[in-house]
Amino acid sequence: MNNVLVCVTQQQTCDRLITYGRKLADENGGDLMIIHIASYEFKYLAGSDDGEALEYLYQKSLEYGANLTVIRSNNVLATLASQVEKNDIGKVVMGVHREGDNGSDMTRELKAMIGGDVELITVPEEEADDVQQAEQEA
């Protein structure tokens, strides 16, 4: 279970998370997967042009040698947990939630669903920016 799954929600934050996930996958000899799960009631990527946003994610997945999955679901956590199991994921990378306690509850609930064998990594903006800057300098 060396595979790494990066959860993305919108273009502006995904590059730093994917960079972080790529580094983890390389360190562990696993595959990198990128996933975006959109509720049926919202646009895919919360942007005005979903086609452009999806193309951006597709290009990023090619750039980082990752598999991209985009799914519609009204039960995001259950869908994510299912993908973790289906793809033998060992590490799940997510951005830090800005909603305060609600985000923390969501993270705890996901951890309970995916079990103890899978590491759930929340990446603060500063840490991911440091990783991305180091990659650019190399």
Side-chain angles (χ1 to χ4, degrees):
M1 292 188 23
N2 295 328
N3 297 333
V4 176
L5 180 66
V6 176
C7 304
V8 297
T9 56
Q10 51 184 292
Q11 287 179 196
Q12 294 84 357
T13 59
C14 76
D15 195 41
R16 69 183 179 84
L17 297 174
I18 297 168
T19 299
Y20 192 89
R22 175 78 271 160
K23 181 180 179 218
L24 288 174
D26 289 346
E27 289 172 354
N28 293 287
D31 292 329
L32 177 63
M33 303 182 72
I34 301 167
I35 191 166
H36 174 73
I37 304 171
S39 173
Y40 284 104
E41 60 199 54
F42 298 110
K43 290 182 169 244
Y44 269 114
L45 293 160
S48 58
D49 187 354
D50 285 339
E52 185 177 306
L54 288 171
E55 178 64 24
Y56 177 85
L57 279 180
Y58 175 70
Q59 290 302 320
K60 285 297 172 185
S61 68
L62 290 176
E63 179 181 334
Y64 287 92
N67 295 315
L68 173 64
T69 302
V70 179
I71 299 174
R72 285 272 210 202
S73 173
N74 281 330
N75 191 337
V76 172
L77 292 178
T79 302
L80 185 55
S82 170
Q83 291 297 307
V84 166
E85 182 178 341
K86 177 181 173 183
N87 293 292
D88 295 321
I89 300 299
K91 297 180 187 306
V92 176
V93 176
M94 305 172 69
V96 173
H97 296 277
R98 295 176 188 224
E99 295 123 16
D101 290 337
N102 290 340
S104 297
D105 289 344
M106 184 178 136
T107 302
R108 280 192 294 276
E109 188 176 340
L110 177 60
K111 184 64 179 166
M113 293 175 88
I114 61 177
D117 293 339
V118 179
E119 186 178 356
L120 181 58
I121 302 165
T122 53
V123 181
E125 286 186 38
E126 308 81 43
E127 185 175 339
D129 289 342
D130 291 344
V131 170
Q132 194 169 12
Q133 182 178 354
E135 297 254 333
Q136 291 172 353
E137 292 173 359

